[in-house]
């Protein structure tokens, strides 16, 4: 199989990392495994949504791959483009960031357009070209702003120039000028490169559908905006894009400087009448199962290259984003200037391949300044996986015989006398190190470092060593664990969560136990007097058990009354609580009551399929913005409208504020 180039907008939430949440990517979760699954040799990602500080080893140090990033300069988690190239197949000879050439290479203050000619890719837009195209000198001069969002990476091979782009989307009118400025610069750069005699391969997310066949929403968009087909295809961005393509529809006279098309739609050329060949679907309405989408991701090439390709298609079955990958496969043998050339010979620097066989291995000098592997954080480093393949081991010996006197100054002897110089914490139970038993005092070991080492001299030099300097710094206190005596009365802390909600004093402790006798019974006049005057003056009542026993236990006839008086709790006012048992907390009942309070109401069922509806929130500006509603859970059908009596989304709709499950 020849060389394959794949473009993929891999964003939804996490940008370039998002596909790893889906099959088949989440099994191995590495970029190398992903590229092997794609069977691609050059991969162009858009919307990486990362900054330089977010780069990780697994992104940059991919074994066997080189990478070239264009990251946003100001906005965080926004746009971003990266191109990965398989080093065993291809190696670029130049690489740049941005369209205009005003940006600078890494560790340099010279812009790409000001580099020597042998280091330039060329074709840079001029202010005159941009002013004529945009009819606005103020925007044409602001090339830095157009290239500040990380939307373009350009790499050059001997065979062609590869441009990976992420074009601004048509979100609102406030970004129309920026979008048109970017597309105009892209058009100028492509035409300038072709005018120089270079071949161009343009790929990426251009956020433009070329014709009716490339979008499922064309008719509804025309009706909504009251536009004709000519007006729809004459919108500024779509008209500009069609000027580039050989089969593009351009109504009326062509624009000045764009009299002839220069690019070829590779994927459409292999599937000229295929309907539903979409590459992007709206995730909010779950439009992918019904294939209600648009084709906005392209693989395009110069007209002189259109015979170089053997296959091109979309990979709509690969999940991981609201876009799907699109690829184009080049032939192993190309025809260039009426001569057959092996592909690898023209996809690498001169002399590296000859007749398809490698003659020279890649080295550091072959890496380009824009390479991600030359970023200071990753320069001359291995991947994190390779770093842990060989684990360092600590070799401990009891003794070491030194036979060469010249090596005594550099010998490091770790003997039984040096064990206490190691800085390694080890357990003191069931541990044996170099013949030492666990009963020895090995709780703290110190390893001889560069500033603290002990060397055994075989000559037995008894030269007096200077005493070690004592530091005035207080020694670090070691946290000790105090053990309390077995019989000590220490208060325990909270033992469980339930103990937090229990009061320290029980309810029974607040009750006063008084003996009930004939004189103190509630029926007696004395008792009634005490109850009536309880709120005004309360006499002290003895609660001593001994006093109660001394008053009533003298007469055996009062034994029954004593038992009654000792067992009946009486409130401070004298009212008996015997007939009013304490309330019991039922945890199951409490859990159910809280669950009913915080649980969501039962979802209504849709009319067409009798399935539970899903709840969404209105984000469209207006009086209903922020309101929640229920709708059919089925995905949107190919027509893009709610259907009745089909397997796709029905017309069920109800506002959440209007839904009352008790009434229904």
């Amino acid at each position: 199989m020849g060389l394959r180039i794949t473009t993929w907008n891999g964003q939804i939430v996490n940008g370039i990392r998002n596909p790893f949440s889906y099959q088949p990517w989440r099994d191995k979760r590495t970029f190398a495994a992903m590229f092997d699954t794609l069977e691609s040799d050059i991969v162009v990602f858009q919307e990486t949504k990362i900054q330089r500080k977010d780069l990780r080893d697994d992104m940059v140090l991919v074994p066997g791959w080189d990478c070239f990033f264009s990251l946003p300069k100001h906005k965080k988690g926004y746009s971003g483009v990266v191109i990965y190239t398989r080093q065993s197949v291809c190696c670029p000879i130049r690489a740049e960031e941005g369209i205009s050439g005003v940006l600078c290479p890494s560790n340099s203050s010279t812009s790409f357009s000001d580099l020597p000619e042998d280091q330039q890719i060329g074709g840079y837009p001029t202010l005159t070209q941009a002013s004529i195209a945009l009819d606005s000198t103020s925007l044409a001069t602001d090339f830095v702003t157009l290239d500040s969002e990380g939307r373009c990476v350009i790499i050059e091979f001997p065979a062609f120039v590869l441009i990976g782009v992420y074009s601004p989307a048509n979100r609102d009118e406030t970004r129309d000028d920026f979008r048109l400025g970017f597309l105009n610069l892209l058009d100028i750069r492509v035409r300038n490169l072709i005018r120089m005699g270079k071949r161009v391969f343009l790929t990426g997310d251009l956020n433009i559908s070329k014709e009716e066949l490339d979008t499922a929403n064309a008719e509804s968009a025309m009706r909504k905006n009251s536009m004709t087909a000519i007006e729809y295809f004459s919108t500024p961005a779509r008209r500009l894009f069609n000027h580039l393509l050989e089969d593009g529809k351009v109504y009326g006279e062509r624009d000045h400087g764009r009299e002839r098309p220069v690019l070829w739609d590779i994927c459409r050329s292999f599937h000229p009448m295929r309907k539903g060949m979409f590459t992007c679907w709206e995730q909010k309405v779950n439009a992918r199962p019904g294939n209600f989408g648009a084709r906005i991701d392209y693989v395009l090439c110069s007209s002189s290259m259109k015979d170089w390709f053997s296959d091109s298609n979309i990979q709509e079955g690969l999940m991981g984003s609201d876009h799907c990958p699109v690829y184009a496969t080049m032939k192993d043998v190309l025809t260039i200037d009426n001569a057959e050339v092996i592909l690898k010979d023209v996809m690498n620097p001169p002399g590296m391949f000859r007749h398809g066989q490698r003659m020279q291995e890649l080295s550091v000098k072959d890496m380009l300044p824009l390479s991600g592997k030359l970023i200071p954080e990753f320069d001359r480093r291995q991947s994190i996986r390779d770093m842990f393949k060989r684990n360092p081991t600590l070799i401990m010996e009891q003794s070491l015989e030194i036979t060469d006197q010249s090596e005594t100054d550099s010998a490091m002897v770790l003997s039984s006398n040096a064990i206490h110089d190691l800085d390694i914490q080890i357990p003191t139970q069931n541990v044996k190190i170099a013949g030492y038993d666990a009963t020895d005092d090995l709780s703290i070991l110190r390893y001889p470092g560069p500033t603290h080492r002990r060397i055994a001299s075989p000559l037995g030099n008894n030269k007096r060593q200077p005493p070690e300097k004592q530091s005035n710094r207080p020694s670090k206190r070691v946290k000790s664990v105090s053990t309390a005596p077995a019989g000590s009365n220490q208060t325990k802390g909270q033992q469980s969560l339930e103990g937090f909600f229990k009061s320290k004093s029980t309810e029974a402790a607040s009750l006063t136990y008084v003996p009930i006798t004939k004189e103190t019974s509630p029926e007696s006049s004395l008792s009634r007097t005490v109850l009536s005057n309880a709120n005004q003056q309360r006499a002290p009542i003895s609660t001593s058990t001994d006093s109660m026993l001394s008053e009533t236990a003298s007469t055996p006839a009062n034994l029954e009354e004593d038992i009654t008086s000792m067992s009946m709790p009486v409130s401070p006012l004298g009212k008996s609580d015997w007939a009013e048992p304490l309330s019991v907390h039922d945890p199951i009942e409490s859990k159910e009551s809280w669950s009913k309070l915080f649980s969501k109401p039962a979802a209504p069922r849709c009319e067409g399929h009798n399935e539970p509806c899903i709840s969404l929130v209105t984000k469209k500006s207006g009086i209903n913005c922020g309101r929640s509603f229920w709708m059919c859970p089925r995905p949107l059908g190919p027509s893009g409208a709610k259907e009745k009596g089909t397997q796709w989304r029905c017309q069920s709709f109800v506002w959440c504020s209007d839904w009352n499950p008790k009434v229904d």
Side-chain angles (χ1 to χ4, degrees):
M1 185 179 69
L3 182 142
R4 174 177 288 190
I5 304 174
T6 300
T7 178
W8 192 10
N9 184 321
Q11 74 86 27
I12 293 181
V13 178
N14 298 324
I16 194 173
R17 288 185 176 274
N18 192 75
F20 292 138
S21 302
Y22 297 82
Q23 287 289 3
W25 323 114
R26 64 180 169 192
D27 290 339
K28 296 184 179 179
R29 303 181 69 86
T30 64
F31 286 93
M34 175 191 290
F35 301 153
D36 291 340
T37 303
L38 291 171
E39 298 180 346
S40 185
D41 302 298
I42 300 176
V43 182
V44 185
F45 280 115
Q46 302 89 42
E47 280 199 270
T48 56
K49 290 188 173 182
I50 56 175
Q51 290 182 298
R52 178 167 170 173
K53 65 181 182 62
D54 301 321
L55 293 175
R56 299 292 181 265
D57 287 358
D58 61 336
M59 294 182 188
V60 179
L61 304 178
V62 182
W65 290 77
D66 203 352
C67 54
F68 306 90
F69 286 89
S70 178
L71 305 175
K73 302 297 183 293
H74 306 294
K75 293 187 178 181
K76 298 180 180 180
Y78 185 77
S79 64
V81 175
V82 59
I83 299 179
Y84 288 91
T85 59
R86 193 187 296 270
Q87 293 176 318
S88 61
V89 177
C90 57
C91 177
I93 57 177
R94 299 180 186 89
E96 295 182 1
E97 178 186 7
I99 300 177
S100 62
V102 298
L103 300 182
C104 301
S106 301
N107 303 322
S108 175
S109 59
T110 304
S111 63
F112 290 107
S113 59
D114 293 333
L115 293 174
E117 291 187 2
D118 60 338
Q119 301 178 21
Q120 294 181 0
I121 294 180
Y124 307 106
T126 63
L127 293 179
T128 304
Q129 288 177 320
S131 301
I132 295 175
L134 299 173
D135 294 329
S136 173
T137 56
S138 60
L139 183 61
T141 56
D142 197 6
F143 287 170
V144 177
T145 301
L146 294 174
D147 278 339
S148 65
E149 296 186 357
R151 293 185 175 273
C152 180
V153 174
I154 304 177
I155 60 177
E156 183 179 3
F157 302 95
F160 58 86
V161 176
L162 173 63
I163 304 177
V165 297
Y166 171 49
S167 177
N170 185 22
R171 300 299 182 189
D172 52 62
E173 296 180 354
T174 60
R175 295 275 291 177
D176 284 349
D177 289 342
F178 185 91
R179 186 187 188 208
L180 290 177
F182 184 89
L183 292 174
N184 272 283
L185 285 186
L186 180 62
D187 177 87
I188 295 172
R189 185 73 184 270
V190 170
R191 293 180 181 275
N192 287 349
L193 287 170
I194 294 176
R195 194 177 295 112
M196 291 174 59
K198 296 188 177 183
R199 305 174 190 86
V200 175
F201 188 99
L202 174 63
T203 184
D205 178 7
L206 297 177
N207 271 310
I208 302 173
S209 55
K210 186 178 68 172
E211 54 183 346
E212 298 98 329
L213 201 61
D214 295 320
T215 176
N217 195 36
E219 294 183 1
S220 60
M222 293 179 193
R223 290 195 303 267
K224 182 178 180 180
N225 298 313
S226 301
M227 300 172 63
T228 63
I230 297 177
E231 293 173 341
Y232 180 78
F233 288 101
S234 297
T235 54
R238 188 170 288 108
R239 177 180 173 85
L240 193 156
F241 180 54
N242 279 315
H243 271 83
L244 276 171
L245 303 177
E246 286 195 6
D247 58 344
K249 295 182 179 179
V250 178
Y251 295 93
E253 186 178 356
R254 298 182 69 93
D255 296 346
H256 176 71
R258 300 170 181 148
E259 288 79 10
R260 67 182 185 92
V262 293
L263 295 181
W264 177 256
D265 190 348
I266 304 172
C267 194
R268 179 57 73 186
S269 66
F270 282 93
H271 312 276
M273 300 305 298
R274 178 179 170 183
K275 296 182 179 180
M277 192 173 66
F278 304 138
T279 64
C280 179
W281 302 267
E282 181 64 44
Q283 292 291 109
K284 295 179 182 179
V285 296
N286 195 16
R288 188 164 188 170
N291 196 27
F292 184 77
R295 186 170 78 102
I296 59 178
D297 303 88
Y298 296 88
V299 282
L300 312 172
C301 69
S302 300
S303 301
S304 59
M305 296 173 58
K306 60 183 178 182
D307 296 331
W308 289 15
F309 298 90
S310 59
D311 185 26
S312 182
N313 207 340
I314 65 173
Q315 295 176 289
E316 67 276 17
L318 293 178
M319 307 300 291
S321 169
D322 56 347
H323 294 245
C324 75
V326 184
Y327 71 87
T329 305
M330 303 180 69
K331 300 176 182 178
D332 290 325
V333 180
L334 309 176
T335 302
I336 301 177
D337 299 331
N338 298 324
E340 291 188 352
V341 179
I342 297 179
L343 179 61
K344 289 185 178 180
D345 293 353
V346 292
M347 291 299 296
N348 291 273
M352 188 165 291
F353 275 85
R354 182 180 300 172
H355 305 299
Q357 300 297 323
R358 180 176 289 276
M359 306 301 294
Q360 178 184 342
E361 295 295 331
L362 287 172
S363 61
V364 178
K365 66 179 182 180
D366 296 319
M367 301 182 68
L368 302 177
L370 193 63
S371 172
K373 294 186 176 182
L374 294 183
I375 297 176
E377 298 93 302
F378 305 95
D379 188 14
R380 301 182 185 277
R381 279 190 47 209
Q382 293 179 327
S383 65
I384 194 69
R385 295 178 182 269
D386 296 336
M387 292 170 62
F388 285 95
K389 283 184 178 179
R390 295 184 299 173
N391 295 324
T393 58
L394 179 63
I395 303 176
M396 305 180 66
E397 300 178 0
Q398 281 188 323
S399 62
L400 182 63
E401 296 182 0
I402 303 178
T403 59
D404 189 356
Q405 182 177 356
S406 62
E407 297 178 357
T408 58
D409 294 336
S410 60
M412 298 293 296
V413 179
L414 184 58
S415 63
S416 58
N417 296 327
I419 287 294
H420 294 283
D421 293 337
L422 297 175
D423 284 335
I424 305 173
Q425 297 282 346
I426 67 170
T428 61
Q429 296 180 358
N430 300 327
V431 178
K432 291 184 178 181
I433 299 179
Y436 282 86
D437 188 58
T439 58
D440 295 333
D441 187 12
L442 299 178
S443 58
I444 299 179
L445 302 179
R446 294 181 181 177
Y447 183 78
T451 60
H452 182 80
R453 60 177 60 182
R454 183 176 297 176
I455 302 175
S457 175
L459 302 179
N461 188 3
N462 296 325
K463 184 178 180 179
R464 186 176 181 180
Q465 300 294 334
E468 295 183 358
K469 295 182 180 180
Q470 298 293 334
S471 175
N472 295 328
R473 295 177 60 186
S475 60
K476 185 177 181 180
R477 293 186 178 181
V478 180
K479 187 177 181 180
S480 61
V481 180
S482 62
T483 58
S488 62
N489 186 15
Q490 292 184 353
T491 59
K492 295 184 177 181
Q494 179 182 324
Q495 300 297 322
S496 64
L497 183 62
E498 184 179 2
F500 178 79
F501 296 97
K502 285 186 177 181
S503 59
K504 296 182 179 179
S505 61
T506 60
E507 186 176 356
S510 64
L511 301 177
T512 303
Y513 290 86
V514 297
I516 300 177
T517 63
K518 293 181 180 180
E519 291 78 7
T520 61
S521 63
E523 289 80 3
S524 63
S525 59
L526 178 60
S527 177
R528 287 192 298 269
T529 304
V530 173
L531 291 174
S532 61
N533 298 331
N535 295 330
Q536 300 176 3
Q537 180 179 4
R538 183 175 299 171
I541 301 176
S542 174
T543 59
S544 173
T545 306
D546 296 337
S547 63
M548 289 190 292
L549 291 175
S550 63
E551 292 177 3
T552 60
S554 61
T555 307
N558 296 334
L559 181 60
E560 182 177 358
E561 295 180 359
D562 294 341
I563 297 174
T564 305
S565 64
M566 293 292 293
S567 59
M568 294 187 64
V570 179
S571 65
L573 294 180
K575 184 178 179 181
S576 175
D577 293 336
W578 185 267
E580 298 181 4
L582 298 175
S583 60
V584 180
H585 174 71
D586 188 357
I588 299 178
E589 181 181 357
S590 177
K591 181 179 179 180
E592 292 178 352
S593 61
W594 282 106
S595 299
K596 292 179 181 179
L597 181 62
F598 290 103
S599 61
K600 295 182 179 180
R605 293 186 173 271
C606 65
E607 300 175 357
H609 313 98
N610 196 28
E611 296 178 358
C613 294
I614 58 175
S615 177
L616 299 175
V617 179
T618 305
K619 295 185 178 181
K620 186 178 181 180
S621 59
I623 58 174
N624 292 323
C625 183
R627 293 187 64 183
S628 300
F629 60 91
W630 297 100
M631 64 181 300
C632 178
R634 296 284 184 97
L636 204 62
S639 64
K642 298 177 180 179
E643 303 175 2
K644 187 176 182 180
T646 65
Q647 61 175 333
W648 306 111
R649 180 172 297 171
C650 64
Q651 300 178 350
S652 300
F653 179 89
V654 59
W655 292 108
C656 291
S657 58
D658 299 337
W659 166 244
N660 189 353
K662 296 181 180 180
V663 176
D664 197 334

